[in-house]
């Protein structure tokens, strides 16, 4: 028998020279694309259509091949198809419902694709007709809501979510997608919450539900009242919030695991052996090759939850076993199209593992730890714009956390100690820290470690000024809490002081290059004021009196850096240039640091001369410091423990618009409606009578 091949809706025998035969569904599509009503000659046309396996490729292609004028001629048939799809969603026959959902996806995508050209027709009118649009969308949203909330087929729920994601992401700028007005009026918010609060449905659909919610929240968020924002901000159901947290934690954990696997694979490969042979001169280049695509969609969901809902803050600290350490048997799953790492939902077997009971031998984790690990990977490489945006979003989330009173309470809680293994960028002058030597400490220590790590590793030609400003702001906000609540944190503050002084040195040594692009005095002022914070209030939050002595020792030891900074800002503040005002603020801020240097340096030199010592030890310098505190005069500086609270609308609107556009494009690109093969569906619905 001759082999039968199938291509683009055509059936043909490979050995025959006859015209190719078309599938019946393709012939039916062709009838819809005629100007005549297809049900005139065949009264059961629509009934039969939804029993046929959908040919997405052909239907979308056909819509795209027509110009605007041709499409307008068959508008009535398109409207009719759209309405019959919605009617089919209410049928008891699941195959009809599946085919209707897939047809709607093809219709929406195909018609929107046409709108990219200047064909001059309205999408809503083309799909439904203006006069019927409101009723059509009401019926559609009600049907989708019912299917999502019902206890029926998981495949149907999956397709419903994919249709909604298709609807939301069909335009790059979701705020220009007028169809979403109907999604605002006919809310599916409760259906999304139900998925997240119910473990079985969360395991299957949690990822799509969370991404959908994050996108809906961003529809015209600055121009009108978005009901999804209002509703998300007042959710207080513990099961729902925890469910959302678990989905986000799992997606971030999956990214962390993929990165770790690639890192291990990289280290054990040929390049690693070559690096060991020639030393570490290529280590930075080797690291750059370890790349896993970041997941901004899930990060946006975390941001919206933290920013909008104060109740979600409690979810950040909810303990669960370290994801990736708990394993469950993996059952074979149907193959799906390959999409970039980090963009696809994690497999349901891994999501379920986080709900297993805690094991004494398993390191406990929580969403915040998972997020900090994710941030430590993403923030390593900010050279390309995509990763720069991801790093910025991580720092914005940390800013919101650092401002929250409750978040600070558990961050600084001595009874909540964790071992947080952050990723550290390979650098020539330092060895890789051993994971096993990490101490258990309050979570704020990991946040500070992450900030110190960022400061140390990003002093480069393409200087990420915006990220540095945010990083210093996070540290400042944490210090404000410690000062206010008199929290004496046992932290290696010297690492932070050293990192800040090195950053000042970098700004000075690259003054000309950096000033061409940035106002470096804003950052310099923030760094100097962090030191002023320690000098003025350190006795209320540094762990021991000796910590305060060490602060003075560090300032005196690095006095040359502060002297050089003073010379630089004095030079620029006395000139009538554009930096006069900004530089003079730094000059005034240095008053106490200079007072400390000018007070102690002569006494240290005198001590060395009297005792005939050319090089004083740290202990000897500290002895001089302790003996001369009483005669030191410092100026009281106002506002050191004050800060401007984070505001999205006024300062970050442009960033989020661009970010959501990028996420929308990415979600649309990776949306696969054919992941559910007809065979799988038929097997699931084999009980249909």
């Amino acid at each position: 028998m001759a082999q039968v091949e199938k291509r683009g809706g055509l059936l043909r025998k490979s050995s025959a020279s006859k015209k190719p035969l078309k599938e019946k569904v393709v012939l039916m599509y062709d009838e819809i694309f005629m100007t005549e009503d297809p049900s005139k000659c065949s009264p059961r046309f629509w009934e039969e259509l939804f029993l046929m396996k959908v040919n997405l490729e052909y239907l979308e292609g056909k819509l795209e091949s027509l110009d605007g004028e041709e499409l307008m001629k068959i508008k009535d048939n398109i409207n009719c198809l759209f309405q019959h799809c919605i009617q089919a969603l209410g049928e008891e026959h699941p195959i009809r419902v599946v085919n209707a959902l897939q047809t709607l996806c093809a219709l929406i995508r195909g018609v929107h694709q046409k709108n990219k050209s200047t064909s001059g027709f309205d999408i809503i009118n083309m799909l439904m007709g203006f006069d019927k649009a409101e009723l059509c969308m009401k019926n559609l949203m009600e049907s989708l809501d019912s299917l999502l909330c019902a206890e029926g087929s998981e495949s149907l729920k999956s397709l419903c979510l994919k249709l909604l994601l298709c609807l939301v992401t069909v335009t790059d700028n979701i705020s220009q997608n007028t169809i979403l007005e109907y999604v605002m009026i006919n809310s599916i918010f409760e259906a999304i919450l139900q998925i997240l609060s119910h473990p079985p449905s969360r395991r299957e659909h949690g990822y799509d539900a969370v991404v959908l919610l994050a996108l809906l929240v961003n529809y015209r968020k600055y121009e009108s009242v978005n009901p999804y924002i209002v509703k998300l901000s007042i959710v207080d159901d513990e099961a729902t919030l925890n469910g959302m947290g678990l989905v986000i934690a799992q997606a971030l954990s999956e990214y962390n695991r993929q990165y770790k696997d690639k890192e291990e694979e990289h280290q054990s490969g040929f390049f690693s052996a070559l690096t060991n042979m020639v030393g570490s001169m290529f280590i930075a280049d080797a690291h750059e090759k370890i790349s896993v695509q970041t997941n901004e969609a899930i990060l946006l969901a975390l941001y919206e939850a933290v920013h909008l809902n104060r109740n979600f803050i409690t979810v950040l600290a909810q303990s669960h076993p370290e994801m990736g350490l708990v394993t469950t048997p993996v059952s074979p799953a149907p193959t799906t199209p390959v999409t970039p790492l980090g963009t696809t939902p994690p497999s349901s077997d891994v999501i379920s593992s986080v709900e297993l009971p805690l094991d004494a031998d398993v390191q406990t984790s929580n969403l915040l730890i998972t997020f900090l690990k994710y941030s430590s990977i993403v923030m390593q490489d900010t050279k390309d714009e995509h990763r720069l945006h991801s790093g910025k979003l991580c720092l914005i989330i940390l800013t919101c956390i650092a401002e929250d009173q409750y978040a600070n309470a558990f961050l600084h809680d001595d009874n909540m100690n964790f071992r947080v293994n952050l990723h550290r960028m390979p650098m020539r002058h330092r060895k890789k820290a051993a994971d096993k030597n990490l101490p258990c400490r309050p979570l704020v220590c990991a946040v500070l470690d992450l900030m110190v790590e960022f400061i140390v590793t990003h002093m480069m030609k393409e200087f990420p000024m915006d990220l540095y400003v945010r990083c210093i702001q996070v540290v400042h906000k944490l210090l404000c809490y410690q000062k206010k609540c008199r929290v004496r944190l046992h932290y290696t503050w010297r690492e932070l002081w050293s990192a800040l002084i090195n950053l000042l040195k970098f700004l000075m040594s690259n003054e000309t290059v950096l000033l061409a692009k940035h106002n470096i005095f804003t950052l310099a002022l923030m760094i100097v004021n962090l030191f002023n914070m320690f000098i003025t209030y350190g006795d209320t939050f540094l762990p021991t009196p000796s910590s305060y002595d060490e602060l003075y020792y560090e300032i005196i030891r690095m006095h040359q850096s502060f002297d050089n900074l003073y010379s630089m800002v004095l030079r620029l503040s006395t000139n009538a240039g554009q930096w006069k005002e900004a530089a003079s603020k730094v000059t005034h801020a240095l008053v106490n640091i200079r007072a400390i240097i000018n007070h102690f340096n002569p006494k240290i030199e005198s001590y060395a001369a009297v005792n005939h010592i050319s090089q004083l030890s740290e202990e000897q310098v500290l002895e001089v410091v302790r003996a001369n505190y009483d005669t030191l005069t410092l100026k009281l500086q106002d506002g050191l423990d004050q800060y401007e609270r984070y505001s999205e609308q006024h300062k970050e609107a442009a960033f989020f618009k661009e970010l959501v556009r990028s996420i929308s494009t990415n979600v649309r690109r990776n949306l696969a409606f054919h992941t559910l093969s007809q065979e799988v569906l038929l097997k699931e619905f084999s009980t249909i009578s």
Side-chain angles (χ1 to χ4, degrees), residues 263-308:
E263 193 177 41
E264 285 170 3
E265 179 190 314
H266 193 80
Q267 285 165 356
S268 62
F270 169 76
F271 198 93
S272 176
L274 184 66
T275 305
N276 291 336
M277 281 163 52
V278 284
S280 58
M281 60 190 285
F282 298 120
I283 198 160
D285 297 328
H287 175 74
E288 279 172 23
K289 295 187 180 181
I290 304 168
S291 176
V292 180
Q293 186 170 328
T294 50
N295 192 335
E296 278 79 21
I298 216 74
L299 210 54
L300 179 68
L302 175 60
Y303 164 74
E304 297 296 358
V306 168
H307 180 231
L308 294 173

Side-chain angles (χ1 to χ4, degrees), residues 538-650:
D539 59 329
T540 66
F541 64 81
L542 285 171
T544 59
S546 64
S547 303
Y548 196 72
D549 302 338
E550 284 171 12
L551 167 68
Y552 276 64
Y553 172 79
E554 207 61 33
I555 291 170
I556 294 159
R557 186 176 73 87
M558 301 302 293
H559 72 90
Q560 195 60 57
S561 298
F562 291 109
D563 290 343
N564 293 345
L565 176 64
Y566 183 73
S567 300
M568 182 180 95
V569 293
L570 190 65
R571 167 170 49 84
L572 286 156
S573 63
T574 50
N575 294 339
Q578 71 177 109
W579 306 116
K580 181 181 170 76
E581 191 182 342
S584 64
K585 285 181 184 175
V586 183
T587 312
H588 297 311
L590 281 164
V591 62
N592 281 345
I593 292 173
R594 285 178 50 73
I596 290 166
I597 292 165
N598 294 335
H599 176 74
F600 287 106
N601 265 1
K603 290 177 170 53
I604 290 164
E605 286 163 14
S606 171
Y607 179 92
V610 168
N611 294 284
H612 306 290
I613 306 167
S614 59
Q615 191 88 29
L616 267 65
S617 68
E618 182 177 333
E619 197 44 56
Q620 287 167 329
V621 173
L622 288 171
E623 190 183 320
V624 176
V625 168
R626 290 185 193 111
N628 290 281
Y629 272 134
D630 293 348
T631 51
L632 173 65
T633 306
L634 295 175
K635 193 176 176 183
L636 188 65
Q637 292 175 304
D638 294 328
L640 291 174
D641 58 344
Q642 306 294 314
Y643 59 81
E644 187 184 348
R645 288 188 70 83
Y646 169 77
S647 169
E648 180 191 318
Q649 186 165 354
H650 298 107

Side-chain angles (χ1 to χ4, degrees), residues 425-440:
M425 191 185 286
M427 296 179 81
R428 296 183 189 96
H429 60 274
R430 68 176 184 187
K431 290 181 180 177
K432 190 174 180 185
D435 300 349
K436 290 174 185 174
N437 299 336
L438 292 166
C440 273

Side-chain angles (χ1 to χ4, degrees), residues 313 400-413 444 477-482 485 487 643:
I313 294 291
C400 295
I401 292 169
E403 285 183 8
D404 188 272
Q405 187 81 2
Y406 181 77
N408 268 304
F410 74 68
L411 281 175
H412 292 85
D413 191 341
V444 70
K477 286 168 183 181
L478 294 172
L479 290 182
C480 289
Y481 175 83
Q482 290 166 26
C485 298
V487 177
Y643 59 81

Side-chain angles (χ1 to χ4, degrees), residues 7-72:
R7 284 180 191 164
L10 303 177
L11 296 171
R12 68 183 178 86
K13 290 182 181 178
S14 53
S15 60
S17 56
K18 292 178 183 177
K19 272 188 175 182
L21 299 170
K22 287 188 176 182
E23 289 176 76
K24 182 168 181 185
V25 74
V26 168
L27 292 169
M28 294 182 87
Y29 290 155
D30 287 345
E31 283 188 58
I32 295 168
F33 285 95
M34 302 289 181
T35 50
E36 289 291 314
D37 178 357
S39 61
K40 268 187 181 176
C41 300
S42 174
R44 292 174 58 83
F45 180 87
W46 300 111
E47 208 176 311
E48 287 177 16
L49 179 67
F50 296 111
L51 286 173
M52 303 285 166
K53 180 183 172 182
V54 178
N55 189 324
L56 283 167
E57 194 182 339
Y58 185 84
L59 186 53
E60 276 189 59
K62 191 79 175 171
L63 285 164
E64 286 174 37
S65 68
L66 301 175
D67 63 33
E69 204 176 307
E70 288 172 324
L71 207 54
M72 282 307 290

